[in-house]
Amino acid sequence: MVEPADLAGAGAEVRDVEVLVVGGGPAGLAAADAARRSGARVVLVEGGDDVGGQYWRHLPAERPAAAEAQLHHGWSTFAGLRRTLAGDPGCEVLTGASVWAVEPGAGALVVRVLVTPSGQADAPGRRHLALRPAALVVATGAHDLTLPFPGWDLPGVVTGGAAQAFAKSERLAVGERVVVAGAGPFLLPVASSLLDTGARVLEVAEAAGPAQLTRGWGPLLTGGGAGVFAAGLSGVGVLAGKTRELAGYVAALTAARVPYRTATGVVAARGDGRVEEVVLARLDATWAPVPGTERVVAADALAVSHGFTPRLEVALAAGAAVAGSGAGAGFVAVDDRGATSAPGVWAAGEVTGIGGADAALVEGALAGLAAAEALGHPAGPEVDGLLRRRRVLRAFADRLAAAHAPRPGWLAQVTDDTVVCRCEEVTAGRLRSVAQATASAADAPAGSRSLRLTTRAGLGPCQGRVCGHAVDAVLGCGLPASTGTTRPPVSHQRRPLAVPVRLGELADLPPATTPTSPATSQPTSEETP
């Protein structure tokens, strides 16, 4: 435990904070704004050079776009939130600020932050901060989830999020002839962003087939199911907005004559030194490739995304529990207003469940209001309306998950020579053979601890962020076959350091403040490189 005396005079600037918001995407911005409207003083930390997150990623201020608003949905909302918080003396927005550890303190968590000088991402001399929040709101978002296939480690194969980030923040296409593949509605904005940069999108391949899509989307179209329409006019408004957004993407793909094929997946990428062709195949209802349906598409880039997985490091280190089953399995467990299992810690947005920017804005506002209220700043009457809107958006998100969740047959494309852990070049065959040789009742699931020690799977630079779920799946834990299936363990997300930290920066801390352990869930030694 870190005592106040340990922090005083250390290499870190120590500050008490009323409400600390981690993450500057839609949920974090909404949380900060709501907490300020209630009267709490707020500090928001964001690792990027500007707020906005992936959804509102944009050109840097020194190279502004002439008409940025035309390239983003809800840009006026973002611009308003950013302007309000930047001009509010009661809110401090720290950009280039990465939370790298959360530790138990005397009466409060200690959130350790490194602040990078503006525009100098690799510069030495980052500033240490040790923040002690009375209330913490975690809004750290999510990563792309990409299921491995032979050749996915070739240059030119990128995640959908990376392709979109290049397009939004640099106006660069990842290639001239691009295949977009995976699952979920996110494929549409990825393809649209690529078209905006001048790339030719050869096709969009959606893994879910008609039956799975009908089970998910059908209730939305017929008015039954999860009660989206039953939620009232706010539900109709939500769906109208979603429909307009979807129509925009469909129009863009139609104008560019981009085929959109369902029950189709990428089963291999091939090339000499970089991707030159993509092998696509029809998929059955379980997402297993149908033999004899393979076809080859000549391409110089492949953008793949099968959904998202939450960024849990900060929430786990703060002591928040993760849901073990149900639609929210694998995400931070929260109540309707974002309270986690850890006292004084709230969470909002994609870290609590993939719901899109609209849901993140609502959940961020609820969490910000609840955090401020816990500190004696009463929330206004807006809470009831936000809760109603949240129910509608969560019902919508649950239907999307049902329509696009990975099915277990995808493992059929993972041959023994398929690289699963790209950082350490560990193949599926190596994982399976070591797991069988080392598994024991005390080392579940399927020898995961011994496997990591022996193969180093998940211990490379990405620390399992890219391959962790795939490693679990190859071991037999499996990615969710449906929204009701338990997600695999999240041991690869329990890390003593949330982001990379230089040895010199750790050495700058005096011995008494050198990080000891997260608040809970002590990581095991094999989970660090």
PDB file of all heavy atoms in Angstrom, residues 154-156 271-276:
ATOM      1  N   LEU A 154       1.162 -11.241 -42.183  1.00  0.00           N
ATOM      2  CA  LEU A 154       1.827 -10.596 -43.312  1.00  0.00           C
ATOM      3  C   LEU A 154       1.668  -9.067 -43.236  1.00  0.00           C
ATOM      4  O   LEU A 154       0.603  -8.568 -42.846  1.00  0.00           O
ATOM      5  CB  LEU A 154       1.219 -11.075 -44.630  1.00  0.00           C
ATOM      6  CG  LEU A 154       1.704 -12.392 -45.221  1.00  0.00           C
ATOM      7  CD1 LEU A 154       0.852 -12.746 -46.439  1.00  0.00           C
ATOM      8  CD2 LEU A 154       3.184 -12.293 -45.621  1.00  0.00           C
ATOM      9  N   PRO A 155       2.704  -8.317 -43.639  1.00  0.00           N
ATOM     10  CA  PRO A 155       2.511  -6.867 -43.801  1.00  0.00           C
ATOM     11  C   PRO A 155       1.385  -6.598 -44.797  1.00  0.00           C
ATOM     12  O   PRO A 155       1.279  -7.281 -45.820  1.00  0.00           O
ATOM     13  CB  PRO A 155       3.875  -6.406 -44.355  1.00  0.00           C
ATOM     14  CG  PRO A 155       4.852  -7.423 -43.850  1.00  0.00           C
ATOM     15  CD  PRO A 155       4.101  -8.740 -43.877  1.00  0.00           C
ATOM     16  N   GLY A 156       0.564  -5.638 -44.475  1.00  0.00           N
ATOM     17  CA  GLY A 156      -0.593  -5.341 -45.314  1.00  0.00           C
ATOM     18  C   GLY A 156      -1.884  -5.871 -44.728  1.00  0.00           C
ATOM     19  O   GLY A 156      -2.966  -5.479 -45.181  1.00  0.00           O
ATOM     20  N   GLY A 271       1.241 -13.999 -49.910  1.00  0.00           N
ATOM     21  CA  GLY A 271       2.065 -13.028 -50.613  1.00  0.00           C
ATOM     22  C   GLY A 271       3.532 -13.228 -50.283  1.00  0.00           C
ATOM     23  O   GLY A 271       3.883 -13.944 -49.335  1.00  0.00           O
ATOM     24  N   ASP A 272       4.377 -12.600 -51.084  1.00  0.00           N
ATOM     25  CA  ASP A 272       5.817 -12.684 -50.892  1.00  0.00           C
ATOM     26  C   ASP A 272       6.299 -11.415 -50.194  1.00  0.00           C
ATOM     27  O   ASP A 272       6.525 -10.394 -50.825  1.00  0.00           O
ATOM     28  CB  ASP A 272       6.509 -12.838 -52.253  1.00  0.00           C
ATOM     29  CG  ASP A 272       8.027 -13.008 -52.112  1.00  0.00           C
ATOM     30  OD1 ASP A 272       8.507 -13.163 -50.968  1.00  0.00           O
ATOM     31  OD2 ASP A 272       8.725 -12.959 -53.133  1.00  0.00           O
ATOM     32  N   GLY A 273       6.390 -11.476 -48.892  1.00  0.00           N
ATOM     33  CA  GLY A 273       6.840 -10.307 -48.127  1.00  0.00           C
ATOM     34  C   GLY A 273       5.734  -9.373 -47.723  1.00  0.00           C
ATOM     35  O   GLY A 273       5.917  -8.546 -46.817  1.00  0.00           O
ATOM     36  N   ARG A 274       4.583  -9.445 -48.337  1.00  0.00           N
ATOM     37  CA  ARG A 274       3.408  -8.667 -47.947  1.00  0.00           C
ATOM     38  C   ARG A 274       2.189  -9.298 -48.612  1.00  0.00           C
ATOM     39  O   ARG A 274       2.338 -10.137 -49.511  1.00  0.00           O
ATOM     40  CB  ARG A 274       3.516  -7.200 -48.342  1.00  0.00           C
ATOM     41  CG  ARG A 274       3.597  -6.916 -49.824  1.00  0.00           C
ATOM     42  CD  ARG A 274       3.275  -5.468 -50.096  1.00  0.00           C
ATOM     43  NE  ARG A 274       1.915  -5.120 -49.700  1.00  0.00           N
ATOM     44  CZ  ARG A 274       1.638  -4.228 -48.747  1.00  0.00           C
ATOM     45  NH1 ARG A 274       2.594  -3.620 -48.089  1.00  0.00           N
ATOM     46  NH2 ARG A 274       0.369  -3.962 -48.446  1.00  0.00           N
ATOM     47  N   VAL A 275       1.036  -8.919 -48.189  1.00  0.00           N
ATOM     48  CA  VAL A 275      -0.167  -9.546 -48.726  1.00  0.00           C
ATOM     49  C   VAL A 275      -0.337  -9.166 -50.198  1.00  0.00           C
ATOM     50  O   VAL A 275      -0.209  -7.999 -50.587  1.00  0.00           O
ATOM     51  CB  VAL A 275      -1.411  -9.140 -47.903  1.00  0.00           C
ATOM     52  CG1 VAL A 275      -1.662  -7.647 -47.949  1.00  0.00           C
ATOM     53  CG2 VAL A 275      -2.630  -9.891 -48.387  1.00  0.00           C
ATOM     54  N   GLU A 276      -0.565 -10.183 -51.026  1.00  0.00           N
ATOM     55  CA  GLU A 276      -0.804  -9.973 -52.454  1.00  0.00           C
ATOM     56  C   GLU A 276      -2.158 -10.542 -52.877  1.00  0.00           C
ATOM     57  O   GLU A 276      -2.691 -10.141 -53.903  1.00  0.00           O
ATOM     58  CB  GLU A 276       0.323 -10.615 -53.268  1.00  0.00           C
ATOM     59  CG  GLU A 276       1.686  -9.966 -53.008  1.00  0.00           C
ATOM     60  CD  GLU A 276       2.826 -10.699 -53.690  1.00  0.00           C
ATOM     61  OE1 GLU A 276       2.632 -11.883 -54.053  1.00  0.00           O
ATOM     62  OE2 GLU A 276       3.896 -10.108 -53.860  1.00  0.00           O
TER      63      GLU A 276
END
